[in-house]
């Protein structure tokens, strides 16, 4: 009698994919199980599946390893206390999740299972947010801003970005949804998710990510001779949304007011004012230490030093904080080479997506664009939850696109 066994490796992969839409506690458990699976695979498996993503032949593998090596080496010159530096280094350890997903997924069928788990969790978040908006009870909602901002498991900043990315994936991978009406259902979910970002969520980062991904999707649908319109398309979309969405109009107007307040009075008490003040200090650190930066975890120490030079009564900011801009954070920690390194990291992922079939490539490239835009206003890779979201999803999409098509083939002309 043949006994069916549970594929725990695939179960852990699916849990990791689903977890990035859920609470930070579930994400932490999933990450631990995922890394244990990697260790077990390295110790007991004969090798990676030949049908999976050719990890050793990707540009992403050396890019991730070089980034982590640079951060580790910077421990030797960091100005931060060892505890803070080690904590910051550990936060960037989530980049290994990209490699872990690619290493553990053995073929496209497994990648599709993980993608389905990811989609179900994201759909739960979107539907729950709409239920909260409609003043319906959502027993599983655990966010601190559930009542005020209709968030489910995370803050409005993270949820808005994730829902915008989910909408793009539903559109680009709509042909993978089974059934006669599968693609139409995927399109409806994409519209529902984007509407949630633009009309319910108040996170400006998520709204800008949504505009960027929508502009890219429209560009890809246009004939090549008309694609130049992408240069003005984001501005047109913002104008339309400004006129039609009270939420977006209020948030963009608030940005203008906050920026004017900082320009006139150096008011750093607002969201935009804090960012502008942090960015200014980050630029000063990079100018003072352009060759190697101040080392991993050095942002808080350097910010406090600069503030104390003009205000001896300055109270230290929280250890392990960040300047709310990923690019500047890398510049502070690693100098100009850090800015080049994060650009090389993203270009390496982009280079790998060029080997994929069109739908998978566009899904992965949309996710990468979302990361690039989000990093302009937040320390996205450094932060928990949203950083885990991007690392797990990028690893999953690279595995999906680079694996051999053991799953269902794409229909003719799928885009």
């Amino acid at each position: 009698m043949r006994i069916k066994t549970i594929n725990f490796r695939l179960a852990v992969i699916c849990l990791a994919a689903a977890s990035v839409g859920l609470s930070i506690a579930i994400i932490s458990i999933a990450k631990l199980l995922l890394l244990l699976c990697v260790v077990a695979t390295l110790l007991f498996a004969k090798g990676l599946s030949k049908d999976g993503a050719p990890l050793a032949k990707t540009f992403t593998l050396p890019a991730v390893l070089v980034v982590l090596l640079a951060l580790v080496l910077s421990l030797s010159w960091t100005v931060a206390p060892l505890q803070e530096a080690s904590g910051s280094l550990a936060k960037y350890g989530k980049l290994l999740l990209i490699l872990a997903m690619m290493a553990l997924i053995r073929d496209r069928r497994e990648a599709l299972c993980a993608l389905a788990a990811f989609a179900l969790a994201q759909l739960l978040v979107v539907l729950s947010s709409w239920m909260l908006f409609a003043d319906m009870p959502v027993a599983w909602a655990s966010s601190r801003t559930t009542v005020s901002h209709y968030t489910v498991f995370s803050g409005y900043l993270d949820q808005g970005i994730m829902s915008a990315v989910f909408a793009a994936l539903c559109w680009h991978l709509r042909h993978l949804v089974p059934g006669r009406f599968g693609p139409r259902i995927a399109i409806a979910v994409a519209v529902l998710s984007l509407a949630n970002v633009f009309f319910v969520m108040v996170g400006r980062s998520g709204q800008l990510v949504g505009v960027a991904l929508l502009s890219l999707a429209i560009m890809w649908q246009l004939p090549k001779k008309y694609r130049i319109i992408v240069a003005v398309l984001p501005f047109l979309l913002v104008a339309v949304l400004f006129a039609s969405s009270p939420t977006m109009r209020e948030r963009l107007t608030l940005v203008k007011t906050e920026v004017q307040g900082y320009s006139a009075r150096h008011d750093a008490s607002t969201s935009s004012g804090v960012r502008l003040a942090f960015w200014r200090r980050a630029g000063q650190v990079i100018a003072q230490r352009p060759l190697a930066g101040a080392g991993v975890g050095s942002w808080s120490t350097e910010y406090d030093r600069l503030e104390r030079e003009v205000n001896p009564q300055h109270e230290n900011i929280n250890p392990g904080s960040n300047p709310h801009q990923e690019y500047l954070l890398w510049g502070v920690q690693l100098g100009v080479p850090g800015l080049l390194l994060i650009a090389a990291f993203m270009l390496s992922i982009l280079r790998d997506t060029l080997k994929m079939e069109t739908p998978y490539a566009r899904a992965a490239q949309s996710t990468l664009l979302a990361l690039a835009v989000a990093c302009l206003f937040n320390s996205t890779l450094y932060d928990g939850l949203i950083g885990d979201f991007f690392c797990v999803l990028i690893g999953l999409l690279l595995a999906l696109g680079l694996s051999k098509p053991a799953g269902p083939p794409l229909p003719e002309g799928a885009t």
Side-chain angles (χ1 to χ4, degrees):
M1 178 179 179
R2 186 176 179 180
I3 300 176
K4 292 185 178 180
T5 59
I6 299 174
N7 188 334
F8 285 103
R9 175 186 51 79
L10 182 56
V12 169
I13 292 170
C14 291
L15 174 62
S19 71
V20 293
L22 307 176
S23 68
I24 193 68
I26 297 177
I27 292 175
S28 298
I29 294 172
K31 285 196 297 184
L32 176 60
L33 292 175
L34 194 69
L35 294 177
L36 288 176
C37 268
V38 172
V39 173
T41 299
L42 292 175
L43 291 177
F44 303 112
K46 296 181 180 179
L48 300 179
S49 171
K50 294 181 180 180
D51 293 331
L55 185 57
K57 297 181 181 179
T58 63
F59 293 93
T60 302
L61 172 62
V64 169
L65 296 180
V66 169
V67 165
L68 294 177
L69 177 61
L71 291 169
V72 169
L73 291 176
S74 74
L75 285 171
S76 62
W77 68 78
T78 185
V79 300
L82 182 59
Q83 183 176 0
E84 290 181 27
S86 301
S88 294
L89 180 61
K91 288 187 176 183
Y92 281 113
K94 65 172 68 75
L95 292 172
L96 292 173
L97 295 173
I98 300 174
L99 306 183
M101 293 295 286
M102 296 174 69
L104 291 176
I105 294 175
R106 295 185 175 178
D107 55 43
R108 188 165 291 175
R109 180 190 63 82
E110 292 189 351
L112 289 171
C113 289
L115 184 64
F118 169 86
L120 288 175
Q122 293 298 319
L123 181 59
L124 172 66
V125 171
V126 172
L127 293 178
S128 298
S129 181
W130 278 111
M131 289 172 64
L132 291 169
F133 183 70
D135 202 24
M136 299 172 62
V138 179
W140 51 89
S142 58
S143 171
R144 295 179 181 178
T145 55
T146 290
V147 176
S148 59
H149 294 121
Y150 315 113
T151 54
V152 186
F153 299 110
S154 61
Y156 61 79
L157 187 152
D158 294 347
Q159 185 171 314
I161 295 172
M162 291 188 291
S163 294
V165 174
F166 177 52
L169 297 188
C170 287
W171 171 256
H172 294 301
L173 300 179
R174 60 192 182 278
H175 295 286
L176 295 178
V177 182
R180 178 182 176 185
F181 300 103
R184 296 180 184 179
I185 293 173
I187 293 173
V189 171
V191 172
L192 195 67
S193 300
L194 267 189
N196 186 264
V197 172
F198 292 139
F199 297 95
V200 177
M201 292 289 104
V202 298
R204 290 168 289 200
S205 297
Q207 291 168 350
L208 290 176
V209 167
V211 168
L213 297 185
L214 184 56
S215 300
L216 188 63
I218 293 174
M219 183 202 73
W220 276 327
Q221 293 300 119
L222 293 173
K224 290 185 178 181
K225 62 180 179 179
Y226 296 122
R227 288 186 178 180
I228 190 64
I229 196 176
V230 76
V232 297
L233 192 55
F235 301 100
L236 294 176
L237 289 174
V238 168
V240 171
L241 290 167
F242 188 86
S244 60
S245 170
T247 300
M248 194 162 181
R249 181 166 58 251
E250 177 184 344
R251 298 297 287 172
L252 291 180
T253 302
L254 184 59
V255 169
K256 179 182 177 182
T257 303
E258 292 174 348
V259 170
Q260 289 175 340
Y262 181 80
S263 300
R265 303 180 302 276
H266 285 280
D267 179 13
S269 62
T270 63
S271 176
S272 299
V274 167
R275 280 174 166 78
L276 292 171
F278 281 178
W279 296 352
R280 176 169 167 264
R281 292 302 187 203
Q284 290 178 310
V285 176
I286 297 171
Q288 292 175 3
R289 301 173 181 269
L291 297 181
V296 63
S298 59
W299 160 250
S300 299
T301 303
E302 287 294 273
Y303 177 79
D304 289 334
R305 175 182 66 83
L306 292 173
E307 283 293 310
R308 201 166 287 115
E309 288 179 359
V310 296
N311 177 19
Q313 304 303 318
H314 166 73
E315 295 183 7
N316 291 345
I317 60 174
N318 292 330
S321 64
N322 62 81
H324 298 293
Q325 222 260 28
E326 191 72 47
Y327 305 105
L328 289 177
L329 180 57
W330 286 46
V332 167
Q333 297 179 123
L334 300 172
V336 174
L339 299 174
L340 298 176
L341 199 56
I342 189 171
F345 165 72
M346 292 186 179
L347 288 174
S348 297
I349 297 173
L350 177 62
R351 186 77 178 271
D352 285 331
T353 66
L354 300 179
K355 308 171 189 175
M356 302 178 183
E357 296 170 72
T358 298
Y360 304 128
R362 290 182 175 178
Q365 289 162 10
S366 296
T367 302
L368 185 60
L369 175 63
L371 173 62
V373 173
C375 284
L376 289 171
F377 308 100
N378 309 280
S379 298
T380 308
L381 289 172
Y382 181 81
D383 287 338
L385 200 150
I386 190 63
D388 297 314
F389 171 85
F390 276 109
C391 289
V392 168
L393 182 56
I394 287 173
L396 170 57
L397 293 175
L398 288 175
L400 176 66
L402 296 175
S403 297
K404 292 184 179 179
L410 289 171
E412 288 291 330
T415 59

